[in-house]
Amino acid sequence: MILTLALLAGLVLAWLLIGVVEKFRLGLRFTQALLYVPFKLAYRVSDDRIRIARKAQAPVIYVISHQSRFEPALMLSLLPDDTLHILDEVSARSPWLEPWRELGRTIAFNAEHLFVSRRLVRVLKGKGRLAVYLPDAVEPDIKTFRLFRAVTRIAMQADAKIVPIFVAGARGLPVSLTQADKAPRHWFPQLSISVLEPMTVAELAARNPDQASNTNALFDRVAEARLFGADLDRGLFLAMRDAAARVGASHPIIEDVISGALSYRKMFIGARVLGRRFEAVTAPGEAVGLLLPNANGVVLSFVGLLSGARVAAMINYTAGPASVTAAVRTAVIRTVVSSRAFIEKADLADIVAAVENGGAKLLWLEDVRESVTALDKLAAALLWRWPLQQQDAAKPAVVLFTSGSEGTPKAVVLSHKNLLANAMQAEARITISPADILLNVLPVFHSFGLTGGTILPLVTGVKLFLYPSPLHYKIIPEIARKVKPTVMFGTDTFLANYARTAKDGDFSSLRFVVAGAEAVKPETRRVYRERFQAEIIEGFGLTEAAPVVAVNTAIHGRDGTVGRLLPAMRMKLEPVEGISDAGQLWLDGPNLMMGYMTADRPGELQPLTGWHDTGDIVAVDREGFITIRGRAKRFAKIAGEMVSLGAVEMLVQSLWPEDRHAAVAVPDKRRGERIVLVTTADDANPDELRKFGKQAGAAELMVPNDIIKVEEIPVLGSGKTDYVSTRKLAIDRLGLGVAA
């Protein structure tokens, strides 16, 4: 009995002592500190940033993402005690919350009347504080989004600052408000409180003045709190390992048509075995080429390189021998990992020769597998959770090569932080979960296929099914019927071709399709909506941005646009001569590249400083939706007028929707340049196009007089139109000599 009492007294004393420490460390009231101690001990709460919330000058509104039943208790323990907490009806009545409700002032949430109350504005104007718990929705429905509008209106009327708060890890708690299949439960996950600096609505809107919606500015700020809830300084390997811990090491994470499915554990074991071999022939920080198709092997090799602190240089084997040799030399690649079976099957002997001409040696996966011993496998099985080398998120992780659709490719150097930030930016905008299956047919040497189609699922627990070629138009719909993906990535060209060969049920499992790299045609969007009940959500990106810049969502989307800017990104539009309603897009954000390597300065990182000029001409509406008018280089200057070649293609597509078209500018002695249409439409003729253009209200300058008919328009491996080759073809056909 005495021992029991002594033990209890010891526990109470320890509780009191920890409470005292928390009181002085965070500036809490003693009762707050005492009720916070159980959370602190059980969930190892990372809470340093809560000081930002406590120090915020009133009037202030704390906007809290409500993921679980614990947030109200946590916030009542940590926020200033004069805060008025607006609780949902369950939290306002829960008996277990009673001790925490006594810590501050609370009122019950009434969805019909809460935010029309003038009392809240009066509270704030009296130097008050509000804590508002908004439903945790990446894509809020109309009713939820009205709450964002209401908070915005109250904040503006009271001139209050906004402080978003997101508790990372709370979604996996046993008292989570998310379904268990979408957020696997853990009894004691580590929690981390993400708090952003106080800003007024006007200050939030001023960060991106080209999008004037105050509500969207608040919504984006809340999404930023979610983004920074992820530790972007962890590095990609550790972020993948964290995902394995959340969803379970036995969770199937990658699968291909040959090797079958691998769990997280098996993936990391295989990656460690390969990483050891890569370590033996390369140095830390060295760029190591990957010349592999979309299959489990490329993921294992990629993760193995990350584990060993090597830089994965993704070789575009569809770019042609000259480009491959230039890529190897530009990034100073001495070793390229590949597979003899792949080289033989894809008939890439010329690419192997190009790699060797660039000064690199081939490391064959078949040889690596033969050299692996039972001891290697045992060591990897025991140590799979630990990387081979210390991880540094600020260092390079990947080298990608720009598509070269308008010129010589450059090497883009992306850090771990760039890539992880972009994956988490997408996760903060699009609703995905471990219950999803992602079908990726886009090659990993393309930034969209790497970040969106590979890294994003690996760091979120979404099962990834890899298919080696996007060009297998008849096979991919059959694969989709068997795999039953809920999410798919593609380009308009690929998606349109899949739809032509697909049976009605082939894509019936899809929730949505993310499309990028080129504009989505209305016909493609219509087919997927009507035949497969799947929404195509169009986005926009560039390799230099790792790559996603903007995206529509299933709920917040606008056809004909590429969506809204991702969280934590800023943009500005510079005027362009001859264009009054759009500007040249410049970007800044955590996903922007470290810099370039160029052929004239091989292996030398030329760092990006400040804003990045995308070279794209865009228009932005007041809700922030971005419309791409075209590349700056994709405008023709005809008799002093700027004409968008992209707009020409859209006009032609409306007339001949079943065919493919490319508009290019060629030299013209009289007017500087003229537009040539290269098309697969056999019946295309200039007279019909002029008549259609006149009916559509198109300017006469943008209607091509020259039409060149081809069987196929040249495309790059990424699915984009190869405008360099297309322009050369037009110049040759028209007998204009060497391109200007």
Side-chain angles (χ1 to χ4, degrees), residues 267-277 300 304 307 379-381 383-388:
M267 181 192 79
F268 279 119
I269 290 171
R272 188 177 181 89
V273 169
L274 290 178
R276 277 291 184 205
R277 292 300 184 272
L300 297 182
S307 176
L383 301 171
W384 66 267
R385 288 182 175 85
W386 288 274
L388 293 166

Side-chain angles (χ1 to χ4, degrees), residues 406-483:
E406 294 148 10
T408 306
K410 288 179 283 193
V412 174
V413 182
L414 297 166
S415 69
H416 290 257
K417 189 169 184 176
N418 294 151
L419 292 158
L420 183 55
N422 199 230
M424 293 297 97
Q425 284 170 316
E427 196 255 356
R429 186 70 88 208
I430 298 174
T431 305
I432 55 172
S433 77
D436 283 307
I437 299 173
L438 189 153
L439 173 59
N440 181 27
V441 301
L442 296 180
V444 291
F445 60 69
H446 182 247
S447 55
F448 191 20
L450 178 65
T451 302
T454 307
I455 293 173
L456 175 62
L458 293 180
V459 298
T460 57
V462 173
K463 184 181 177 183
L464 170 62
F465 192 98
L466 290 158
Y467 189 78
S469 173
L471 301 175
H472 296 170
Y473 299 140
K474 292 183 179 178
I475 299 174
I476 286 169
E478 295 174 5
I479 292 290
R481 180 183 286 267
K482 294 175 184 175
V483 174

Side-chain angles (χ1 to χ4, degrees), residues 361-557:
K361 292 181 179 180
L362 273 296
L363 177 61
W364 302 107
L365 286 180
E366 288 87 349
D367 296 343
V368 172
R369 288 193 194 102
E370 287 178 8
S371 70
V372 175
T373 66
L375 188 60
D376 293 329
K377 294 178 181 178
L378 177 60
L382 293 172
L383 301 171
W384 66 267
R385 288 182 175 85
W386 288 274
L388 293 166
Q389 298 282 335
Q390 186 174 351
Q391 303 291 291
D392 186 344
K395 288 187 175 179
V398 167
V399 174
L400 289 165
F401 299 91
T402 57
S403 64
S405 57
E406 294 148 10
T408 306
K410 288 179 283 193
V412 174
V413 182
L414 297 166
S415 69
H416 290 257
K417 189 169 184 176
N418 294 151
L419 292 158
L420 183 55
N422 199 230
M424 293 297 97
Q425 284 170 316
E427 196 255 356
R429 186 70 88 208
I430 298 174
T431 305
I432 55 172
S433 77
D436 283 307
I437 299 173
L438 189 153
L439 173 59
N440 181 27
V441 301
L442 296 180
V444 291
F445 60 69
H446 182 247
S447 55
F448 191 20
L450 178 65
T451 302
T454 307
I455 293 173
L456 175 62
L458 293 180
V459 298
T460 57
V462 173
K463 184 181 177 183
L464 170 62
F465 192 98
L466 290 158
Y467 189 78
S469 173
L471 301 175
H472 296 170
Y473 299 140
K474 292 183 179 178
I475 299 174
I476 286 169
E478 295 174 5
I479 292 290
R481 180 183 286 267
K482 294 175 184 175
V483 174
K484 301 190 184 315
T486 56
V487 183
M488 188 168 80
F489 283 14
T491 68
D492 179 82
T493 301
F494 296 151
L495 295 173
N497 281 310
Y498 303 151
R500 288 192 186 100
T501 61
K503 298 182 179 69
D504 285 347
D506 286 350
F507 293 116
S508 61
S509 60
L510 287 174
R511 290 198 297 119
F512 59 84
V513 182
V514 183
E518 60 180 344
V520 175
K521 299 178 181 66
E523 178 64 12
T524 310
R525 198 186 304 277
R526 182 191 66 78
V527 167
Y528 275 80
R529 277 178 180 162
E530 294 181 3
R531 283 190 62 194
F532 311 123
Q533 289 73 54
E535 193 71 25
I536 293 181
I537 58 174
E538 190 172 356
F540 160 64
L542 51 146
T543 306
E544 293 86 347
V548 189
V549 169
V551 69
N552 281 287
T553 71
I555 294 174
H556 298 280

Side-chain angles (χ1 to χ4, degrees), residues 269-387:
I269 290 171
R272 188 177 181 89
V273 169
L274 290 178
R276 277 291 184 205
R277 292 300 184 272
F278 300 155
E279 275 190 320
V281 294
T282 61
E286 181 179 333
V288 179
L290 285 184
L291 176 52
L292 292 165
N294 278 24
N296 291 350
V298 76
V299 175
L300 297 182
S301 299
F302 177 67
V303 177
L305 289 173
L306 295 176
S307 176
R310 272 61 176 173
V311 181
M314 314 306 290
I315 305 294
N316 180 353
Y317 47 82
T318 69
S323 291
V324 169
T325 299
V328 170
R329 289 174 177 166
T330 298
V332 192
I333 300 169
R334 296 185 178 90
T335 303
V336 172
V337 179
S338 192
S339 159
R340 288 194 184 95
F342 167 59
I343 296 299
E344 184 179 338
K345 189 169 185 178
D347 192 20
L348 295 177
D350 58 338
I351 299 300
V352 170
V355 166
E356 293 171 337
N357 288 340
K361 292 181 179 180
L362 273 296
L363 177 61
W364 302 107
L365 286 180
E366 288 87 349
D367 296 343
V368 172
R369 288 193 194 102
E370 287 178 8
S371 70
V372 175
T373 66
L375 188 60
D376 293 329
K377 294 178 181 178
L378 177 60
L382 293 172
L383 301 171
W384 66 267
R385 288 182 175 85
W386 288 274

Side-chain angles (χ1 to χ4, degrees), residues 157-222:
Q157 289 177 4
D159 195 28
K161 291 184 181 291
I162 301 286
V163 177
I165 301 176
F166 181 83
V167 183
R171 197 182 299 173
L173 287 166
V175 289
S176 172
L177 300 176
T178 305
Q179 293 170 263
D181 62 330
K182 296 179 180 178
R185 303 299 196 248
H186 297 275
W187 282 103
F188 300 108
Q190 183 170 2
L191 302 182
S192 176
I193 301 176
S194 171
V195 182
L196 300 186
E197 299 291 340
M199 295 180 76
T200 64
V201 172
E203 288 170 337
L204 292 176
R207 296 188 309 160
N208 276 314
D210 291 299
Q211 55 182 65
S213 167
N214 292 323
T215 302
N216 279 334
L218 171 62
F219 175 62
D220 291 343
R221 186 64 168 171
V222 172

